[in-house]
Amino acid sequence: MSNDTAPMIDFAFVADYIAMNNLPNRPLQPNIGYNQEHNIVFNTSSCVEYNVPHYGLSSDKLNQMAASDKQLAQMGRPRSISCQVLVSTQSEFADCDPNGVLGMDPLHPHERIILYFHGGAYCVGERSLTHMHVYAHISRTTGRRVFSPNYRLAPRHGFPSQLHDCFMTYKYILSLGFEPQNIVLAGDSAGGALVIGVLLLLRDMKCSSPSAAVLVSPWVDATCSGDSWTRNQQFDYLPALPLNDPFHPTRMFYDAGRKFSPTMLEELQCPLVSPVFGSDLSGMPPMLVQMGRNELLHDDIENFVTKVKHDNKQGSVFLETYEHMPHVFVLFDFADAAQRAFSSIGSFVREHN
């Protein structure tokens, strides 16, 4: 499809269709876990200002969103998003009263938690049963509660709406009394990129960072430039569309309907959009990165890990590659590789948090 067709597509209709198919809140089966959804309200006290001009257009957009939140809060109409809290019933929470462990406040002053950003190409993924099963497995192997915000989705809300919501969620979690050193950020695919984006913002704004990060198949290059996008096409379930196709996932989440151009390509190389292009990835906490050998993002992730290892102290970044596995293979939790990955996440989190 020619890039000239982008302005002719009714992306408002696409957004309505995606919203219509978003899943309602629903309980997990008791033998898997308990979950509850809460509202996060962005009052005046939780508003932020992004002093990160070196990120160019993304900085400008973030500040516009922050200013809008502040104005709405001052008018008495604060914006809110929802957030899942989940525990596994196959963990130390098995005998707990669900009503006692599913609130958002800390269970005790030094509680350790996982803050997880779901994947889905920034367009889908909220409340998905497969993701909630992932949260349950991670809660089981780490012994932690898992918090996961339902951030705004593209194409109705273009990037960096998702990053802003995730950053605000982290700040909100801190305001409840959780300590940064007791939080592990985690995410898959687009959610993995959001983890890195939040870490970069926290570092640059001199805010307290979490103790560790877990990235599963992080989408670190929105330009999809790695050779594995061609080499692994027959092995992965992801579509390998050209960037000039308006339905390419990148084009859907980043300014949908806009014609592709060299200017857009340059914007996509902003580290908040595509962390692999970051010239300075220092200041990262200990990081576990997991990927499938057969996924389209393989080379992009490998390049990112090489850069992060170069910019951070030795032994703080760990890459695990699972043979014959596709993108975000942990979603297929019946696979032995997925169970090994969950066990590894548990070991990593317990060691670094």
Side-chain angles (χ1 to χ4, degrees):
M1 185 178 292
S2 166
N3 116 50
D4 289 340
T5 64
M8 300 167 56
I9 297 170
D10 185 356
F11 281 97
F13 174 82
V14 175
D16 288 341
Y17 180 81
I18 290 174
M20 184 173 61
N21 285 277
N22 282 345
L23 298 170
N25 184 34
R26 52 191 172 164
L28 280 170
Q29 294 176 331
N31 65 318
I32 296 174
Y34 298 120
N35 63 300
Q36 188 170 311
E37 192 165 285
H38 302 266
N39 272 342
I40 296 176
V41 180
F42 299 130
N43 292 310
T44 307
S45 59
S46 61
C47 292
V48 299
E49 183 176 342
Y50 295 99
N51 185 22
V52 286
H54 48 287
Y55 292 121
L57 183 60
S58 290
S59 299
D60 296 340
K61 290 181 178 180
L62 283 170
N63 275 312
Q64 289 168 9
M65 293 171 186
S68 175
D69 280 350
K70 185 175 182 179
Q71 183 179 31
L72 288 172
Q74 291 173 337
M75 294 169 60
R77 296 188 288 110
R79 187 172 67 85
S80 65
I81 62 172
S82 58
C83 181
Q84 292 276 345
V85 178
L86 185 147
V87 296
S88 169
T89 48
Q90 301 176 41
S91 67
E92 43 258 67
F93 295 106
D95 299 323
C96 293
D97 175 8
N99 294 322
V101 298
L102 292 178
M104 291 200 70
D105 291 325
L107 300 180
H108 53 81
H110 303 294
E111 183 189 4
R112 297 181 170 97
I113 63 167
I114 309 292
L115 178 55
Y116 195 106
F117 304 145
H118 70 78
Y122 303 96
C123 295
V124 295
E126 68 174 26
R127 302 189 184 96
S128 76
L129 190 58
T130 48
H131 273 100
M132 287 199 286
H133 282 190
V134 168
Y135 308 157
H137 285 298
I138 291 177
S139 175
R140 170 177 58 83
T141 62
T142 63
R144 271 80 164 152
R145 295 195 295 162
V146 177
F147 292 58
S148 183
N150 296 315
Y151 54 77
R152 289 172 291 177
L153 299 175
R156 172 165 289 133
H157 303 284
F159 189 87
S161 300
Q162 302 76 20
L163 179 58
H164 176 55
D165 286 357
C166 289
F167 185 86
M168 292 285 282
T169 299
Y170 176 78
K171 300 291 284 185
Y172 180 84
I173 292 290
L174 293 183
S175 75
L176 295 177
F178 290 97
E179 300 175 348
Q181 65 269 24
N182 293 332
I183 300 173
V184 171
L185 291 189
D188 64 89
S189 194
L194 290 170
V195 168
I196 304 161
V198 168
L199 291 174
L200 290 173
L201 290 172
L202 290 171
R203 180 200 66 183
D204 294 350
M205 295 167 65
K206 295 180 171 50
C207 299
S208 299
S209 291
S211 66
V214 175
L215 312 176
V216 181
S217 298
W219 190 11
V220 292
D221 182 1
T223 72
C224 309
S225 61
D227 291 342
S228 53
W229 281 89
T230 300
R231 186 180 69 249
N232 285 344
Q233 276 190 38
Q234 61 181 319
F235 304 118
D236 205 350
Y237 59 85
L238 291 179
L241 302 173
L243 268 177
N244 66 357
D245 188 317
F247 285 108
H248 187 289
T250 296
R251 302 285 302 285
M252 290 284 287
F253 86 79
Y254 192 88
D255 211 354
R258 176 181 162 193
K259 286 187 177 182
F260 185 67
S261 66
T263 300
M264 179 184 285
L265 183 62
E266 183 177 350
E267 292 169 13
L268 292 174
Q269 293 174 1
C270 168
L272 297 182
V273 187
S274 299
V276 74
F277 292 106
S279 58
D280 178 11
L281 296 174
S282 63
M284 295 293 103
M287 185 178 292
L288 172 64
V289 184
Q290 298 177 330
M291 68 174 178
R293 178 75 69 188
N294 289 353
E295 67 173 284
L296 295 183
L297 283 66
H298 177 281
D299 291 5
D300 300 334
I301 296 169
E302 198 168 57
N303 291 338
F304 168 76
V305 170
T306 298
K307 283 192 169 187
V308 177
K309 284 184 174 181
H310 177 270
D311 290 350
N312 293 272
K313 67 179 182 179
Q314 188 174 4
S316 63
V317 183
F318 307 90
L319 174 63
E320 296 178 350
T321 304
Y322 290 78
E323 296 298 328
H324 312 299
M325 289 295 105
H327 185 59
V328 195
F329 60 94
V330 296
L331 294 174
F332 308 103
D333 62 352
F334 54 82
D336 176 69
Q339 292 303 318
R340 286 189 281 115
F342 291 131
S343 295
S344 181
I345 291 172
S347 299
F348 174 82
V349 167
R350 290 178 185 274
E351 180 179 352
H352 293 93
N353 179 247

